[in-house]
Amino acid sequence: MSIYSNNQQQIAEYLSREDKVTLSRWTDWRWQLKHSITRVETFEKLLGIELEVMERRKISLTLKKFPLSMTPYYLSLIDRSDFRNDPVFRQAFPDPQELEIDKCDMVDPLAEDQDSPAPGITHRYPDRVLFHVSNVCAMYCRHCTRKRKVGDIDSIPDRNQILAGLDYIRKTLEIRDVLLSGGDPLMLNDAYLDWILTELRQIEHVQVVRIGSRMPVVLPYRVTDELVEMLKKHQPLWLNTHFNHPCEITSSSRVALKKLADAGIPLGNQSVLLAGVNDCPRIIKSLVHKLVENRVRPYYLYQCDLSEGLSHFRTPVGKGVEIMESLIGHTSGFSVPTYVIDAPGGGGKIPLMPNYLISLSTNKVVLRNYEGVITTYREPDSYKQKFCDRKCEGCNLKLKLEDGEEADATGIEMLLDDCDETISLTPAENQRLERRDEC
Ligand SMILES: *Cc1c(COP(=O)(O)O)cnc(C)c1O
């Protein structure tokens, strides 16, 4: 059997220095990883292009800080006739602009290293943690928010670190959701991942496990029948992947997604809004439609983070709102992702969308719909306000008390609470209050 396209055949033969590379080698994920493209010269050869001396020099400087690696498969998706504008090229090939540091850029904008109570763990939200189980990826995305760690062999988690992370999860009873992240967790071999998942599944308070992986996009052959059989043992397991452009949804990625979905693993997608790649309502709409066609639910659309080296990828927030405006109401609700900014400093994800609430009075709200139609909703006159002490015993609504885990409210939820005395939240170091303390 021959390889899918001439393009892939040529790439395979050049990389392996063999005359005839069979389909079974091309679709072997280990073959793909072994033949990953890490040098600009190889890239030029494979695309049949020649960069100018100056450009090549600038790129080699960029590579000293942020290395290059991509799979032959992902490279084969690049349209050679207009490679500079190609979304795959832009996501994979270094750009000297990565060395331009903006004054707002940060090394670790999401403060993941600060919110880390144990090696490899980021514990930011009350009930869930990120667990970095791998530091390597099949492809180094140029827009990676963890660019600081890419290719840094010192941060590859070893078995002891994984054990320490597992210990933290085991002793922290409020964690009910663990997100395996990295790097790409599917870079681990099946047996090792099986071990981590087995350990997690034995922890009673861990209700769900999620895997974040870009393999269906950059190396779909990683999704083997054996992998899927192994993952199936660890249900309920969710998987979020990372498609950014409709051209990434190929016949090979469709096969990978089908295997996962058929195994009963709910699939989600997290895209990043990237200038020059997908900052267009029509592109995102086409992407989300292709995703749901393949049983992948668009989950988040991220505003590009403030990590160093990403300034040329950032769009104004208005572009994201414009895209949301073109999705909400215009297409199936389950095709619409949530547009979020991951707050610098570690505040977590903040959702953003166009405003639909125009005004309100004590008994009416004025709203507008996606078409611009302005409408009113009359609120009930009969609704009886009830004092809620969050204790639930005397309440006529039947919440089984053992299911009602969170009794205490925090933050804005606390301000809304009937039984908490707090009336305001004040930033630390408020000058007015400091003056009070002084006198
Ligand atoms: C995104 C993220 C999560 C998961 O957030 P969800 O909104 O539940 O998907 C958890 N921890 C950290 C640190 C994150 O960045």
Side-chain angles (χ1 to χ4, degrees):
M1 215 179 355
S2 71
I3 287 174
Y4 298 114
S5 68
N6 286 342
N7 194 359
Q8 297 183 338
Q9 189 75 50
Q10 276 174 16
I11 294 172
E13 282 161 17
Y14 177 82
L15 289 172
S16 62
R17 315 282 194 285
E18 286 172 38
D19 287 343
K20 200 79 203 149
V21 179
T22 57
L23 181 64
S24 66
R25 301 209 69 188
W26 176 261
T27 57
D28 173 354
W29 65 280
R30 292 181 189 279
W31 184 93
Q32 287 275 337
L33 285 179
K34 197 170 142 224
H35 293 94
S36 280
I37 293 98
T38 57
R39 292 165 36 125
V40 177
E41 294 73 20
T42 322
F43 204 90
E44 290 181 75
K45 270 274 170 5
L46 291 173
L47 279 194
I49 57 168
E50 209 167 313
L51 300 173
E52 284 181 22
V53 181
M54 256 321 269
E55 190 180 7
R56 200 177 297 136
R57 199 171 299 150
K58 281 189 191 159
I59 288 172
S60 67
L61 278 178
T62 314
L63 290 188
K64 286 210 176 90
K65 185 152 185 202
F66 302 120
L68 159 75
S69 183
M70 75 187 300
T71 58
Y73 161 81
Y74 198 56
L75 182 138
S76 77
L77 307 187
I78 296 174
D79 171 9
R80 296 174 186 213
S81 65
D82 186 18
F83 70 92
R84 285 196 192 269
N85 286 316
D86 186 274
V88 170
F89 176 82
R90 291 201 167 201
Q91 290 180 73
F93 196 75
D95 186 321
Q97 291 182 91
E98 291 170 37
L99 295 180
E100 293 168 15
I101 311 286
D102 235 48
K103 53 180 184 306
C104 59
D105 288 358
M106 298 183 257
V107 176
D108 174 21
L110 308 180
E112 290 184 324
D113 296 342
Q114 282 153 272
D115 283 337
S116 179
I121 297 271
T122 304
H123 194 172
R124 165 158 310 145
Y125 295 105
D127 67 341
R128 55 208 188 277
V129 290
L130 272 189
F131 189 8
H132 304 265
V133 294
S134 146
N135 190 54
V136 279
C137 287
M139 196 277 282
Y140 295 162
C141 303
R142 303 321 295 178
H143 56 277
C144 181
T145 190
R146 303 197 185 111
K147 241 176 141 84
R148 67 186 187 281
K149 294 195 171 163
V150 172
D152 169 13
I153 40 173
D154 291 340
S155 34
I156 296 178
D158 61 23
R159 210 176 168 95
N160 281 333
Q161 281 189 13
I162 302 276
L163 284 169
L166 285 167
D167 265 346
Y168 178 78
I169 296 169
R170 208 172 283 123
K171 68 169 204 260
T172 313
L173 300 182
E174 59 270 26
I175 299 172
R176 41 160 292 284
D177 175 6
V178 176
L179 279 85
L180 298 184
S181 177
D184 197 316
L186 297 187
M187 285 293 277
L188 303 176
N189 66 46
D190 292 0
Y192 196 61
L193 192 57
D194 192 13
W195 167 68
I196 296 174
L197 289 167
T198 307
E199 291 291 314
L200 283 171
R201 282 273 81 114
Q202 278 166 9
I203 304 174
E204 209 173 311
H205 54 271
V206 174
Q207 298 168 355
V208 284
V209 176
R210 302 189 240 176
I211 294 178
S213 170
R214 211 177 179 200
M215 288 296 185
V217 188
V218 299
L219 184 49
Y221 314 129
R222 173 66 185 95
V223 184
T224 59
D225 294 336
E226 298 76 48
L227 174 74
V228 172
E229 278 310 306
M230 184 276 283
L231 295 177
K232 246 167 123 169
K233 295 189 306 189
H234 301 288
Q235 298 282 22
L237 185 70
W238 296 57
L239 189 140
N240 273 340
T241 187
H242 173 179
F243 286 93
N244 284 329
H245 193 281
C247 77
E248 294 169 331
I249 301 184
T250 63
S251 50
S252 303
S253 61
R254 284 173 201 270
V255 170
L257 295 172
K258 181 175 186 318
K259 282 185 189 177
L260 293 164
D262 285 349
I265 299 171
L267 301 174
N269 187 67
Q270 316 199 153
S271 297
V272 186
L273 184 53
L274 297 171
V277 174
N278 61 7
D279 51 336
C280 156
R282 290 184 70 184
I283 288 178
I284 297 288
K285 198 189 253 180
S286 156
L287 172 65
V288 297
H289 285 165
K290 286 196 172 179
L291 288 169
V292 296
E293 221 185 303
N294 289 284
R295 289 179 280 173
V296 182
R297 169 86 154 87
Y299 182 47
Y300 283 135
L301 174 64
Y302 286 93
Q303 174 66 15
C304 190
D305 283 332
L306 296 177
S307 301
E308 266 181 24
L310 305 188
S311 54
H312 62 297
F313 277 128
R314 281 181 214 130
T315 66
V317 174
K319 182 52 77 180
V321 174
E322 178 192 342
I323 289 172
M324 295 310 289
E325 186 78 74
S326 76
L327 294 176
I328 298 172
H330 296 273
T331 190
S332 327
F334 63 83
S335 300
V336 182
T338 304
Y339 174 46
V340 291
I341 295 188
D342 217 335
K349 299 174 186 72
I350 300 174
L352 288 173
M353 60 159 145
N355 287 328
Y356 293 95
L357 181 64
I358 291 183
S359 194
L360 73 171
S361 72
T362 55
N363 63 357
K364 252 191 222 176
V365 289
V366 181
L367 308 158
R368 62 101 175 175
N369 79 347
Y370 71 102
E371 301 164 305
V373 169
I374 295 183
T375 187
T376 54
Y377 174 84
R378 177 113 166 84
E379 295 185 294
D381 296 323
S382 56
Y383 186 74
K384 290 207 177 49
Q385 308 289 348
K386 253 188 311 189
F387 178 84
C388 171
D389 60 4
R390 287 194 160 243
K391 295 214 168 44
C392 305
E393 277 109 4
C395 186
N396 61 331
L397 301 172
K398 291 298 166 213
L399 171 70
K400 287 208 190 97
L401 287 181
E402 62 272 22
D403 291 341
E405 286 162 39
E406 254 178 77
D408 295 328
T410 55
I412 307 292
E413 196 188 9
M414 172 177 77
L415 292 183
L416 292 171
D417 196 325
D418 287 331
C419 56
D420 193 283
E421 310 268 283
T422 316
I423 50 170
S424 59
L425 296 177
T426 315
E429 295 174 42
N430 175 291
Q431 281 192 352
R432 183 170 52 85
L433 296 184
E434 278 173 7
R435 267 198 305 278
R436 282 189 196 170
D437 288 342
E438 279 160 21
C439 47

